[in-house]
Amino acid sequence: MVDLKQLKYFVACAKTGSFSKAAEILYTTQSSVSKVIKSMEESMKIRLFERYTRGIRLTREGEQVYQYAKPVLENLEKLEGVHEQEQTEVLSVSCNPSSWFADMFVKFYKIHQEDHLHYQIYSASSREIVERVRERMDDLGFVYVMKNQLPAFQYFLNRNYLEFELLKVTDITVYPGAEHDCLKNEEGRLTLSGLKLIQRFPDEFSPDNYWNILDDQGNSAADAETVITTNSDYIMERILKVSDLVNISGGYLSGEPWNKETVSITLPGNENQVLYGFVKRQNEELSEWSAKFVSFLSQDEASDAGDGDK
């Protein structure tokens, strides 16, 4: 049987490539390290390292053992830190990219910065958020969902023993780039046909998957040309400040005026509505801090994400 001491010595040797350097970080002697590794090799009946005059190198079998041993020690460190973590409250949430959410989180943090609360905030797609909440990596996951996709999203959540709670309803919004001089046709109506777009990578349930969006003339966003696809909010905002590209949905934009005459244009109609809320595990009450955070986002002045400035 391989014991914990052998694993620690083995991983230290693999990381340093030297018995002597491993001995230094283990606060022991080189001969002691060598004996432990030899004992481990005899127990496993395999050779873990090739020995050279200037160091050591993992064998093929040693590489395989390292892939298993490393996470074991990492998880052990986490177990040893559980007691310390219990002494500190932690709020762990994931969210669709959203500058509005970022602004609200900053406000929440400033209000509670003296409460000894730690935070873990992770930006992700809706599908990844579902996985993270299901696997208890996060307490809550905040998402944008197209209204016409809600039944499919709820079915997907139910299969993962999760549920969705609504916080706000808003409209799809079009954000013109600063150099876009004609978002409207001669009749003064917004037209989606022929636009050049910068979009986030499409999320199955969110406004980024814009193919079913229509303007008031029945033109489909599917007729627009996607020039840039990105997962970077920074690139998104910088491109819109210096180009004629257009973004549909814009849940991750800060609302700064790319175009002084037209900051944003909403697409009214039930088919163009977006639902904003959070994903939680079924039949579980929210923790104290999760409930406080949700309550903060639900306040009238806080939850006004704007019709499109989400």
Side-chain angles (χ1 to χ4, degrees):
M1 295 291 292
V2 176
D3 61 35
L4 183 58
K5 179 179 180 180
Q6 290 173 332
L7 286 181
K8 288 183 176 179
Y9 278 47
F10 167 73
V11 170
C13 291
K15 287 183 175 180
T16 61
S18 166
F19 286 157
S20 60
K21 291 180 180 178
E24 291 178 9
I25 65 175
L26 292 168
Y27 299 101
T28 187
T29 63
Q30 178 177 340
S31 61
S32 176
V33 172
S34 181
K35 289 178 182 179
V36 171
I37 296 302
K38 183 178 180 180
S39 174
M40 183 176 176
E41 289 178 324
E42 291 174 350
S43 297
M44 299 186 68
K45 295 181 173 57
I46 59 175
R47 190 171 181 82
L48 297 171
F49 294 99
E50 297 288 353
R51 277 76 165 172
Y52 301 95
T53 55
R54 294 187 177 181
I56 56 176
R57 185 176 65 186
L58 285 168
T59 62
R60 185 174 63 179
E61 293 84 356
E63 291 279 4
Q64 292 179 310
V65 174
Y66 181 73
Q67 296 305 316
Y68 291 111
K70 185 172 179 287
V72 169
L73 293 183
E74 290 174 347
N75 287 329
L76 179 62
E77 291 177 359
K78 293 178 181 178
L79 284 173
E80 293 173 342
V82 166
H83 176 71
E84 181 179 344
Q85 292 175 4
E86 287 181 347
Q87 308 307 310
T88 304
E89 295 285 349
V90 177
L91 176 61
S92 178
V93 302
S94 49
C95 61
N96 287 155
S98 168
S99 290
W100 172 79
F101 180 91
D103 291 341
M104 299 315 303
F105 170 71
V106 170
K107 293 179 181 179
F108 184 83
Y109 171 77
K110 292 181 70 175
I111 292 172
H112 297 284
Q113 59 185 327
E114 302 299 329
D115 290 329
H116 305 291
L117 178 64
H118 290 186
Y119 303 88
Q120 295 177 358
I121 312 296
Y122 188 86
S123 179
S125 67
S126 297
R127 183 170 291 274
E128 187 176 1
I129 287 173
V130 167
E131 294 173 354
R132 291 180 62 88
V133 176
R134 181 192 63 201
E135 298 300 322
R136 297 184 177 275
M137 299 171 67
D138 297 316
D139 303 316
L140 302 173
F142 293 87
V143 296
Y144 292 96
V145 183
M146 287 290 291
K147 186 175 182 179
N148 58 15
Q149 288 290 320
L150 182 60
F153 186 57
Q154 289 178 322
Y155 175 75
F156 177 56
L157 292 179
N158 189 58
R159 290 179 58 190
N160 287 276
Y161 305 100
L162 304 173
E163 57 188 356
F164 174 77
E165 292 197 15
L166 179 66
L167 292 177
K168 181 175 176 61
V169 179
T170 186
D171 295 321
I172 288 291
T173 300
V174 175
Y175 290 91
E179 295 185 4
H180 198 291
D181 57 1
C182 186
L183 267 182
K184 297 186 177 182
N185 58 23
E186 294 180 356
E187 297 177 354
R189 294 179 177 178
L190 173 69
T191 177
L192 295 175
S193 179
L195 294 180
K196 294 191 298 181
L197 305 177
I198 175 171
Q199 294 290 120
R200 288 187 60 86
F201 285 99
D203 193 327
E204 182 177 358
F205 302 105
S206 79
D208 300 300
N209 196 348
Y210 56 83
W211 301 110
N212 294 323
I213 297 173
L214 301 174
D215 59 27
D216 59 3
Q217 303 166 73
N219 295 309
S220 171
D223 295 328
E225 177 187 3
T226 302
V227 177
I228 299 176
T229 305
T230 180
N231 63 354
S232 168
D233 301 340
Y234 183 86
I235 289 177
M236 176 79 70
E237 297 190 5
R238 295 306 179 271
I239 287 291
L240 288 176
K241 286 182 177 180
V242 299
S243 75
D244 63 349
L245 298 184
V246 173
N247 173 257
I248 297 175
S249 170
Y252 28 79
L253 299 183
S254 62
E256 296 179 9
W258 328 113
N259 184 323
K260 293 182 179 180
E261 296 180 357
T262 308
V263 175
S264 62
I265 299 174
T266 60
L267 298 178
N270 289 336
E271 70 279 5
N272 290 326
Q273 286 186 325
V274 183
L275 310 180
Y276 184 71
F278 63 92
V279 173
K280 62 181 287 287
R281 290 179 286 275
Q282 289 179 352
N283 304 318
E284 286 193 17
E285 292 187 5
L286 298 182
S287 67
E288 177 184 358
W289 282 107
S290 292
K292 286 182 178 180
F293 188 54
V294 168
S295 177
F296 177 77
L297 295 181
S298 300
Q299 297 170 18
D300 288 342
E301 65 272 21
S303 64
D304 185 14
D307 292 339
D309 180 22
K310 301 186 285 294

